[in-house]
Amino acid sequence: MVRRVLALPTGRTAVAILAVIALLAVLGPWLAPQDPLATSGNTLGAACGSHWLGTDYLGRDVLSRLLDGSRVSVLGSLEVALTALVVGVVPGILSVYLGRAFEWITLRLTDTLVALPFLLFAVAVVALLGNGITQAMLVTGVLVSPLFYRVSRAATLAVARSPYVEAALISGASLGWVVRRHVWVKVLPPIAVALAQTVGVGFVIVSSLTFLGIGVQPPAPTWGGLLASDLGYLSQRPWAPLAPALLIVVTVWACNLLADAIRDVSGEAGRALLNSRKARANRRDQADPAPAGGA
Amino acid sequence: MSPLSEKLRTPADSTLAQSVLSVRDVRISDQAHGREIVHGVSFDLTPGRTVGIVGESGSGKTLTCRAALGILPAHFEVTGGAIELDGRDITGLSAAEWTGLRGSTISAVFQDPASYLNPSIRVGAQVAEVIRVKKKVGRREARGQTIELLHAVHLRDPELVYGQYTYELSGGMLQRVLIAAAIAAGPRVLIADEATTALDVTVQAEILDLLADLRDRTGLALVVVSHDLAVVAQLCDEVLVLRQGEVVEQGPTHEVLHRPRHEYTRLLIAEHEQYGLDRFLTPEEDL
Amino acid sequence: MSTDAVLTVEGLTVHYGARRRRRRVLHDVSLSITPGETVGVIGETGSGKSTLARAVLGLVRASGGSIVVDGEEAVGYGPRQWRALRRRGVIQYVFQDPLRSLDPDLTVADSLAEPLLVQGVPRAEAAGRVRAFLDRVRLTEDLLDRLPGELSGGQRQRVAVARALVTDPRLVILDEPVSALDSANRVQVLQILKELRDDGVALVFISHDLGSVAGVADRIAVLYRGELAETGAARDVIAAPQHPYTRLLVRSAPTLHSAPADRAERDALRALLHT
């Protein structure tokens, strides 16, 4: 799967961008040229030699804040995605196999989650578990999990009753075998697409929660938080939101690109695509059978 | 005589000798790849007669039928020969002229009847719509004629079937409904392209019997297309055996079955004799 | 019933649905198959022929009767016991639609090896056994890396048959094995199955068309509305059908030389069956 994704130019691009962003997340705090929390008199300053991206309304260096905030932002998004995977995908696949009771309970639980007002739930959980980025992201992950539950359940249902799954069962395969060997490959692409969307949504949710004082506390920088505070000073520094926005957009775009690549290479369509690329040259003169010649 | 047969021509009609569908050395090419797929098919069909086309998938049998219906897929074109429908050359017919011809002169039923019906509309209403459009009659009149048609295709309870949806009907019943829709406007030619392939063998026999019955009662001319020589042998006067776009054998059914000239036809026959029911049936029966 | 039967079904009854929607789909069906025997199970859609196969494979639960597979009474088995029984590979099944019964994402080699891998055969050994097997089903090694979508219909059906044979089963159940194939491929698949039978493997052909199995079956069992309408030697069932439904089947199967006079007989039989 990995090799097939990397065989596509889009897959390579996506992986390269995401690698750079992961590097930023790991090294960001050390790369930051200045203390991201240090204020100065030079408020809302333009870009210059010492402040490459200028300063914010408290005179803090924007570049340093972006770099320093990348770890929290990326980790936060990953946490959202991971939580959603565990809380959504696993029950989604199992709901098809573990019998009526499990199916009914998980279906009703996801319905409940969808019906819950997001902010109310977030505030309640934070009140219960304490305030922090981990708790906030956990909440977000749980709240987007119905999407993953639905997607993985639908994809599993589509293969669960297919003859090839029955063929495997007739050969004596266990449920674990069937899921690993037949179901997973078909469920992965739609989940990858949903995951890419969620990572993007994650950034925005981090920032909106920051607004409410949930999760990340104000002086600590995040990409979403930077975007939000920059938006307040558009009249003085109209170009300021560009840097954090660009980072978010590029990350989300790379995630989507990766999801597309995964979708393209998985399934029969994907194999056919790669094969046709490889074999187009030597098959060109070899006549295909008539597409609509008979019934 | 039922009202249905009055709408269609009777075999005693004076046009008996005149062909309703005449296909002369028709060649069909795939323009996208610049290849000829069908290399010359000819046959003549007069009212009350049946021509059978036998071949595997990809042999060009469906393309030939589609050419006669004016519904060749994109990139496919008739590149040689001529098709005459009820004495009229079909080359250069406009879309509007085709719409006029289809249904009232030539009509067709295909495999998988369910995909030709809208699952969310009652099947009777869909047949009635054909009648309303083709015959320009009112709703009530169309309904009455539809019930009549459903009766004519031997559906046991036409009133009930009229109000049912596709999922409530079996494959055989759906195919009957489609045959009803196909003959609604009183066509001269009906093409049955693998129309019984997906059906149980007893249901297949019912549909084939129905087609034979319609032909005998109304003088409808039939083109029966199948991959199974035995299906075609059931009701055809003349058989064409197609292979890779080439007519390898053509002649009266009896001739082809008893004195096959081409090796491929012999294979088709041998297969039936070796594995099919023929092995157990006494030879007297074919006389 | 002979004691060396591969499969003995007695008084098998199967219901679908629960409580008020409970329907009987199979009632009191008895059938026994010995090694090297070929039995045709004939019936229309909804006659219960597929249910019979699924019950024998443990895919649907029998509500009564007995199924003895390879000397083991399997009615009342739980999922785990069924899995153990299936894993032995005594009974295999070939689906009607070979395209859909092969995972579109697995290569031919992977699909063929699956029943062996499930049994716990090491990967390398499984691959070797698959390779050694290809010849018997007229497949060439270059097909092993292909996906089902890249095969012709005949090749696909042969892969589906091969998949059922790699575990050296004693009984193979085939659901409409040749109805989707054209003549040349049909003859080839039937030839393969004939060789299999000569090796002592028992075969069950499930079909709606008496004609498609007439030439290969030793015995024929006709299912009608969930019950066994008739069973007997193929020759007898075809030449002198007893049950009206069997008579209709014989008269409905398209043959090269049947006379149009059959039409009246068919109509009479249909009228008889529908009252």
Side-chain angles (χ1 to χ4, degrees):
Chain A
M1 173 67 83
V2 175
R3 199 171 306 152
R4 281 195 253 153
V5 168
L6 289 179
L8 286 180
T10 49
R12 277 198 298 273
T13 314
V15 169
I17 294 172
L18 290 177
V20 169
I21 286 161
L23 216 64
L24 272 186
V26 174
L27 304 175
W30 289 291
L31 287 178
Q34 290 165 30
D35 182 357
L37 300 182
T39 55
S40 70
N42 177 17
T43 56
L44 298 176
C48 62
S50 52
H51 303 288
W52 287 7
L53 293 175
T55 56
D56 70 0
Y57 64 104
L58 289 176
R60 298 175 292 198
D61 181 45
V62 171
L63 178 65
S64 303
R65 286 180 67 74
L66 265 184
L67 287 173
D68 190 74
S70 55
R71 178 179 291 178
V72 175
S73 306
V74 171
L75 278 183
S77 287
L78 277 181
E79 198 190 334
V80 170
L82 218 67
T83 312
L85 268 183
V86 174
V87 184
V89 172
V90 174
I93 294 177
L94 291 181
S95 70
V96 177
Y97 290 105
L98 289 191
R100 283 274 173 82
F102 185 83
E103 187 179 1
W104 192 87
I105 292 170
T106 50
L107 272 171
R108 295 298 85 79
L109 273 176
T110 48
D111 287 348
T112 314
L113 281 177
V114 170
L116 270 181
F118 170 62
L119 288 177
L120 218 64
F121 182 66
V123 171
V125 170
V126 166
L128 215 67
L129 298 179
N131 198 354
I133 181 81
T134 314
Q135 285 90 331
M137 292 301 97
L138 206 69
V139 170
T140 314
V142 169
L143 278 171
V144 296
S145 66
L147 169 70
F148 288 82
Y149 177 84
R150 292 264 155 80
V151 165
S152 53
R153 179 176 149 81
T156 310
L157 270 178
V159 277
R161 281 167 188 65
S162 65
Y164 54 81
V165 166
E166 283 206 328
L169 290 175
I170 288 170
S171 303
S174 60
L175 280 185
W177 173 283
V178 167
V179 170
R180 278 199 313 277
R181 187 105 174 150
H182 299 287
V183 177
W184 182 238
V185 192
K186 277 85 177 172
V187 180
L188 189 61
I191 291 177
V193 175
L195 208 57
Q197 288 170 358
T198 308
V199 169
V201 172
F203 287 119
V204 180
I205 291 177
V206 175
S207 68
S208 64
L209 285 179
T210 308
F211 236 67
L212 293 171
I214 298 173
V216 187
Q217 294 307 304
T222 65
W223 293 355
L226 276 166
L227 183 63
S229 68
D230 283 341
L231 285 175
Y233 299 90
L234 267 182
S235 54
Q236 285 100 323
R237 290 187 345 147
W239 45 268
L242 271 184
L246 211 63
L247 263 178
I248 293 176
V249 166
V250 166
T251 312
V252 172
W253 177 68
C255 287
N256 276 312
L257 214 57
L258 185 63
D260 281 354
I262 290 175
R263 196 190 49 207
D264 283 348
V265 300
S266 45
E268 42 193 326
R271 278 291 296 250
L273 180 85
L274 286 184
N275 282 353
S276 71
R277 278 190 192 183
K278 269 186 284 180
R280 195 172 293 155
N282 36 359
R283 271 197 202 157
R284 188 161 292 158
D285 43 5
Q286 195 184 326
D288 287 357
Chain B
M1 277 286 141
S2 75
L4 173 72
S5 40
E6 282 160 29
K7 282 168 230 148
L8 305 164
R9 312 279 169 105
T10 57
D13 204 298
S14 58
T15 56
L16 187 71
Q18 202 193 331
S19 75
V20 281
L21 174 63
S22 141
V23 174
R24 279 196 302 275
D25 195 31
V26 162
R27 291 162 184 276
I28 300 168
S29 298
D30 176 356
Q31 302 292 28
H33 297 87
R35 274 183 297 137
E36 194 176 85
I37 311 287
V38 175
H39 316 292
V41 174
S42 306
F43 61 86
D44 238 351
L45 195 55
T46 51
R49 304 283 288 174
T50 308
V51 165
I53 304 179
V54 182
E56 295 164 7
S57 53
S59 63
K61 56 193 199 304
T62 294
L63 277 182
T64 308
C65 293
R66 286 182 159 256
L69 286 160
I71 49 168
L72 279 174
H75 309 305
F76 287 87
E77 258 175 50
V78 176
T79 44
I83 299 176
E84 265 180 32
L85 209 52
D86 211 9
R88 189 169 172 193
D89 194 324
I90 63 159
T91 41
L93 284 184
S94 69
E97 286 170 311
W98 264 122
T99 310
L101 279 177
R102 274 187 229 119
S104 48
T105 304
I106 189 164
S107 196
V109 282
F110 303 94
Q111 199 179 344
D112 190 17
S115 62
Y116 293 89
L117 289 165
N118 186 332
S120 54
I121 302 177
R122 295 173 197 279
V123 294
Q126 299 183 58
V127 179
E129 191 188 349
V130 175
I131 296 176
R132 275 173 51 211
V133 170
K134 279 284 166 193
K135 298 181 149 181
K136 317 251 184 304
V137 298
R139 253 165 226 279
R140 188 181 297 265
E141 171 66 15
R143 187 191 151 90
Q145 289 191 18
T146 303
I147 304 260
E148 233 169 69
L149 275 168
L150 295 179
H151 187 74
V153 293
H154 302 198
L155 279 162
R156 228 159 271 120
D157 191 346
E159 302 268 350
L160 178 72
V161 172
Y162 188 98
Q164 284 181 308
Y165 294 95
T166 51
Y167 70 89
E168 296 175 286
L169 301 173
S170 68
M173 291 166 98
L174 287 174
Q175 195 61 282
R176 281 165 199 276
V177 170
L178 278 178
I179 290 174
I183 60 170
R188 317 278 317 265
V189 183
L190 178 68
I191 296 177
D193 186 355
E194 299 277 12
T196 61
T197 302
L199 303 175
D200 276 351
V201 71
T202 48
V203 183
Q204 163 169 294
E206 285 175 32
I207 298 289
L208 294 179
D209 285 350
L210 168 65
L211 290 175
D213 183 50
L214 286 172
R215 173 194 64 190
D216 297 347
R217 277 197 297 133
T218 67
L220 187 67
L222 295 173
V223 179
V224 176
V225 178
S226 177
H227 64 282
D228 188 350
L229 182 58
V231 166
V232 163
Q234 299 299 296
L235 55 160
C236 297
D237 308 299
E238 187 186 359
V239 177
L240 282 81
V241 181
L242 239 69
R243 196 185 192 195
Q244 288 160 8
E246 202 94 51
V247 177
V248 296
E249 184 120 17
Q250 180 166 11
T253 308
H254 201 262
E255 283 286 307
V256 171
L257 292 181
H258 287 264
R259 280 178 288 280
R261 284 187 301 269
H262 196 271
E263 160 205 19
Y264 178 66
T265 320
R266 273 188 223 120
L267 171 79
L268 291 178
I269 291 172
E271 189 223 339
H272 264 280
E273 284 172 348
Q274 194 178 356
Y275 295 108
L277 270 187
D278 291 82
R279 187 168 101 136
F280 296 96
L281 297 174
T282 45
E284 288 91 63
E285 265 188 80
D286 67 83
L287 293 177
Chain C
M1 296 276 149
S2 69
T3 46
D4 63 344
V6 190
L7 170 74
T8 306
V9 175
E10 259 182 343
L12 182 67
T13 301
V14 175
H15 287 85
Y16 280 166
R19 275 174 246 134
R20 249 189 302 154
R21 279 191 290 168
R22 193 169 151 98
R23 279 183 308 120
R24 195 175 67 191
V25 282
L26 220 51
H27 178 62
D28 195 19
V29 172
S30 300
L31 198 65
S32 171
I33 296 145
T34 52
E37 191 181 28
T38 302
V39 176
V41 175
I42 312 297
E44 60 194 2
T45 310
S47 63
K49 58 186 197 301
S50 299
T51 305
L52 175 61
R54 295 171 67 81
V56 164
L57 294 159
L59 293 177
V60 298
R61 213 166 53 83
S63 41
S66 124
I67 300 170
V68 178
V69 180
D70 202 23
E72 258 181 67
E73 169 61 61
V75 168
Y77 266 13
R80 202 174 291 270
Q81 287 163 303
W82 265 114
R83 205 182 305 146
L85 178 61
R86 291 192 202 124
R87 225 170 253 194
R88 299 217 305 261
V90 178
I91 302 189
Q92 287 291 4
Y93 184 78
V94 178
F95 284 83
Q96 177 170 7
D97 182 351
L99 181 58
R100 302 208 309 130
S101 71
L102 298 169
D103 190 326
D105 294 321
L106 293 186
T107 61
V108 169
D110 286 341
S111 278
L112 288 179
E114 186 176 37
L116 293 171
L117 296 177
V118 165
Q119 286 186 345
V121 174
R123 204 162 262 282
E125 191 194 326
R129 275 169 71 179
V130 165
R131 237 164 246 282
F133 197 78
L134 290 174
D135 216 24
R136 250 172 99 182
V137 288
R138 279 81 155 169
L139 290 168
T140 48
E141 280 204 15
D142 59 300
L143 295 182
L144 285 177
D145 295 328
R146 302 243 192 115
L147 290 175
E150 301 165 339
L151 302 176
S152 72
Q155 286 170 336
R156 241 179 253 149
Q157 183 61 290
R158 273 174 279 150
V159 170
V161 171
R163 189 183 183 285
L165 300 183
V166 280
T167 58
D168 283 323
R170 296 181 59 207
L171 171 67
V172 181
I173 302 174
L174 303 106
D175 191 354
E176 303 281 2
V178 293
S179 58
L181 300 178
D182 55 45
S183 295
N185 280 309
R186 192 176 312 186
V187 172
Q188 196 169 32
V189 168
L190 288 173
Q191 194 58 42
I192 292 169
L193 294 173
K194 245 182 180 166
E195 289 169 21
L196 207 62
R197 180 179 61 176
D198 295 343
D199 290 346
V201 177
L203 300 175
V204 173
F205 279 64
I206 297 177
S207 179
H208 67 90
D209 182 6
L210 194 57
S212 74
V213 302
V216 277
D218 304 313
R219 269 196 305 140
I220 283 175
V222 179
L223 275 174
Y224 183 59
R225 297 186 178 172
E227 297 188 36
L228 212 53
E230 185 160 355
T231 166
R235 181 167 294 276
D236 299 340
V237 170
I238 292 165
Q242 301 299 309
H243 194 279
Y245 178 71
T246 318
R247 292 219 294 280
L248 180 62
L249 265 179
V250 173
R251 290 292 166 231
S252 293
T255 62
L256 296 178
H257 309 299
S258 65
D262 284 359
R263 240 161 93 187
E265 196 184 340
R266 280 198 289 267
D267 281 334
L269 285 168
R270 280 174 204 140
L272 184 68
L273 284 166
H274 284 299
T275 45

